[in-house]
């Protein structure tokens, strides 16, 4: 493949590139050139600020009827390692978040076989009544699809009810790679690519914004990654409902999928290509959790402008055995050492505390 002669001009001018051109970036352009372009584009959008959010993961249950091949988190209902948190247990976690200066809970769970709409409405209204200052960023598109199907509701009906009960925004988890062949292979029974996108589009139409993710570095090809990013970019053109894109790598660890993990080179290259290709996303998040804090610091110069969250009590990736942890102090230190300005943000990427 030859790189179109005007590609570097297009990128430097901030013009949109095609999927074919994105593939050429992956295959033909060296990492440092990509980093330079991605950094320039990021600088124009976000100047020298690198943001982060203080939040707490709350996995209200790990009971799940599915068996995704990359998942070390799920448990069968009634198994000794399963849990279903009570409201009191959830309150305790929120109290800890508030003590740490946090603003958001990221609440996700397995595809529980028995929890019906009432369970989710009670959970949301309980939290909203007791902690109105906390933003509830909850329920990934596959969870929402599962609940809608279980309760025989349309996405619109379900999301409207959840919004009324206190849902503020939705995390873009469970996208993996938006390609049904890959989804059937990795996560049989999970919502399809079209359903994932439809849940997001419906949420955006109802004024519920969210993030979009991509889990890469498993059985997908580079073409699949670009197709995934293109589907998100196309939806973003229609709704402007995504506030960030979060590419993160598959972590083999204790998961049933026996593959080698992605190296730093591929991670940085994918991050940079996403900054260049996804021109309608202001925020591209760096994954310190899967890459470690040192590579996350380098990723600041490869298109990333957000360090994500401090993830008090992250369970899903950690259940694979990954041991990366951080604190607000450490995040601020690595951002400052890289010559950038750390800023705490809220769920909606608005900066807090001048
Ligand atoms: S990734 Fe989510 S849906 Fe898949 S098995 Fe794990 S908990 Fe269930």
């Amino acid at each position: 493949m030859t790189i179109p002669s005007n590609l570097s001009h297009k990128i430097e001018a901030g013009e949109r590139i095609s999927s074919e051109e994105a593939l050429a970036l992956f295959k033909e352009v060296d990492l440092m050139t990509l980093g330079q372009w991605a950094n320039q584009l990021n600088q124009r959008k976000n100047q020298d600020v690198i943001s982060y959010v203080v939040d707490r993961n709350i996995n209200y249950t790990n009971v799940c009827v599915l068996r995704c091949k990359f998942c070390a988190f799920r448990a069968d209902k009634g198994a000794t390692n399963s849990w279903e948190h009570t409201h009191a247990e959830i309150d305790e976690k929120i109290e800890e978040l508030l003590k740490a200066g946090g603003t958001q809970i990221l609440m996700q769970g397995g595809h529980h076989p028995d929890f019906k709409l009432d369970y989710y409405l009670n959970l949301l209204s309980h939290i909203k009544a007791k902690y109105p200052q906390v933003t509830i960023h909850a329920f990934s598109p596959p969870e929402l699809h599962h609940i809608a199907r279980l309760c025989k509701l349309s996405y619109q009906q379900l999301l409207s009810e959840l919004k009324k009960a206190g849902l503020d925004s939705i995390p873009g988890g469970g996208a993996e790679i938006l390609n049904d062949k890959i989804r059937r292979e990795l996560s049989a029974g999970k919502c399809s690519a079209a359903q994932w996108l439809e849940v997001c589009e419906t949420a955006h139409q109802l004024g519920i914004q969210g993030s979009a993710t991509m889990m890469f570095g498993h059985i997908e090809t580079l073409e699949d990654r670009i197709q995934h990013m293109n589907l998100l970019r196309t939806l973003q053109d229609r709704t402007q409902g995504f506030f960030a894109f979060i590419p993160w790598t598959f972590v083999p660890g204790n998961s049933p999928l026996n593959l080698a993990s992605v190296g730093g080179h591929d991670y940085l290259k994918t991050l940079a290509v996403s900054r260049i290709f996804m021109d309608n996303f202001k925020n591209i998040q760096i994954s310190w959790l899967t890459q470690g804090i040192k590579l996350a610091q380098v990723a600041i110069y490869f298109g990333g402008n957000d360090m994500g969250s401090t993830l008090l009590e992250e369970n899903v990736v950690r259940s694979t055995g990954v041991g990366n942890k951080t604190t607000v102090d450490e995040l601020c230190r690595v951002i400052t050492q890289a010559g950038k300005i750390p800023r705490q943000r809220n769920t909606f990427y608005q900066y807090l505390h001048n």
Side-chain angles (χ1 to χ4, degrees):
M1 182 174 291
T2 52
I3 305 169
S5 57
N6 65 344
L7 186 49
S8 61
H9 292 116
K10 265 175 108 170
I11 293 170
E12 279 159 18
E15 288 173 25
R16 175 163 288 194
I17 65 164
S18 67
S19 295
E20 294 70 33
E21 288 169 332
L23 191 60
L25 295 185
F26 264 123
K27 291 191 170 172
E28 306 291 337
V29 182
D30 67 277
L31 176 64
M32 298 315 286
T33 305
L34 287 177
Q36 208 177 351
W37 285 333
N39 189 42
Q40 268 173 22
L41 294 173
N42 182 29
Q43 188 76 23
R44 273 182 226 156
K45 282 190 169 134
N46 297 297
Q47 293 76 49
D48 283 322
V49 174
I50 302 293
S51 52
Y52 63 91
V53 65
V54 180
D55 83 348
R56 163 135 216 172
N57 265 40
I58 298 180
N59 298 119
Y60 55 94
T61 182
N62 65 344
V63 171
C64 189
V65 292
L66 299 187
R67 291 178 178 275
C68 301
K69 286 186 183 166
F70 51 81
C71 183
F73 163 79
R74 68 162 307 282
D76 288 328
K77 186 173 163 56
T80 47
N81 62 340
S82 68
W83 72 76
E84 295 166 1
H85 287 319
T86 62
H87 285 187
E89 286 167 336
I90 288 173
D91 289 355
E92 216 176 291
K93 292 173 189 298
I94 297 176
E95 298 287 348
E96 282 173 22
L97 168 79
L98 294 174
K99 274 194 207 120
T103 58
Q104 163 186 297
I105 53 170
L106 168 54
M107 194 162 63
Q108 301 183 101
H111 289 27
H112 197 287
D114 304 328
F115 289 176
K116 296 282 170 44
L117 183 61
D118 274 1
Y119 169 87
Y120 297 97
L121 297 182
N122 288 339
L123 178 61
L124 289 170
S125 37
H126 166 79
I127 296 170
K128 258 306 173 215
K130 200 158 178 188
Y131 305 102
Q133 72 275 44
V134 170
T135 308
I136 307 179
H137 183 54
F139 313 133
S140 65
E143 278 176 275
L144 291 163
H145 167 80
H146 167 75
I147 301 162
R149 208 174 49 170
L150 199 65
C151 303
K152 299 188 174 38
L153 294 168
S154 68
Y155 297 151
Q156 215 256 355
Q157 288 167 324
L158 173 66
L159 283 158
S160 301
E161 292 296 320
L162 296 176
K163 187 181 180 191
K164 267 189 264 166
L167 179 66
D168 293 303
S169 74
I170 58 172
E176 280 91 67
I177 292 285
L178 293 170
N179 172 302
D180 286 337
K181 193 162 168 275
I182 294 172
R183 298 178 80 73
R184 277 194 298 274
E185 173 65 30
L186 288 187
S187 44
K190 216 170 194 172
C191 69
S192 68
Q195 287 161 338
W196 192 97
L197 291 162
E198 193 187 336
V199 171
C200 291
E201 183 154 16
T202 309
H204 298 172
Q205 284 161 351
L206 291 168
I208 307 169
Q209 284 193 295
S211 51
T213 63
M214 173 171 78
M215 183 185 74
F216 65 99
H218 39 85
I219 61 170
E220 89 289 354
T221 62
L222 293 178
E223 285 83 349
D224 295 328
R225 290 185 203 174
I226 292 164
Q227 184 200 31
H228 177 103
M229 290 193 264
N230 194 36
L231 287 167
L232 296 175
R233 187 173 78 168
T234 304
L235 178 54
Q236 179 76 328
D237 276 342
R238 283 207 297 279
T239 66
Q240 289 299 312
F242 292 120
F243 39 62
F245 177 56
I246 310 168
W248 60 286
T249 53
F250 162 66
V251 181
N254 303 325
S255 80
L257 202 59
N258 186 18
L259 294 169
S261 53
V262 160
H265 186 276
D266 191 5
Y267 173 72
L268 292 175
K269 207 163 186 181
T270 305
L271 188 75
V273 171
S274 71
R275 170 57 79 188
I276 297 165
F277 183 75
M278 301 185 79
D279 57 346
N280 52 3
F281 280 70
K282 183 173 187 287
N283 302 297
I284 306 280
Q285 198 178 104
I286 296 165
S287 177
W288 62 261
L289 180 66
T290 58
Q291 298 307 311
I293 201 70
K294 288 187 177 172
L295 195 69
Q297 188 184 42
V298 175
I300 288 172
Y301 286 92
F302 287 79
N305 72 297
D306 184 78
M307 283 289 194
S309 86
T310 45
L311 292 172
L312 298 171
E313 201 196 322
E314 200 285 333
N315 290 307
V316 179
V317 175
R318 292 214 174 98
S319 54
T320 66
V322 75
N324 295 327
K325 286 188 178 161
T326 195
T327 59
V328 169
D329 285 350
E330 184 179 47
L331 280 182
C332 290
R333 189 171 64 249
V334 299
I335 294 167
T336 309
Q337 282 172 348
K340 300 288 183 177
I341 304 161
R343 292 288 299 270
Q344 187 180 346
R345 64 163 173 87
N346 63 16
T347 308
F348 308 101
Y349 288 75
Q350 295 159 331
Y351 302 139
L352 306 173
H353 325 300
N354 280 324

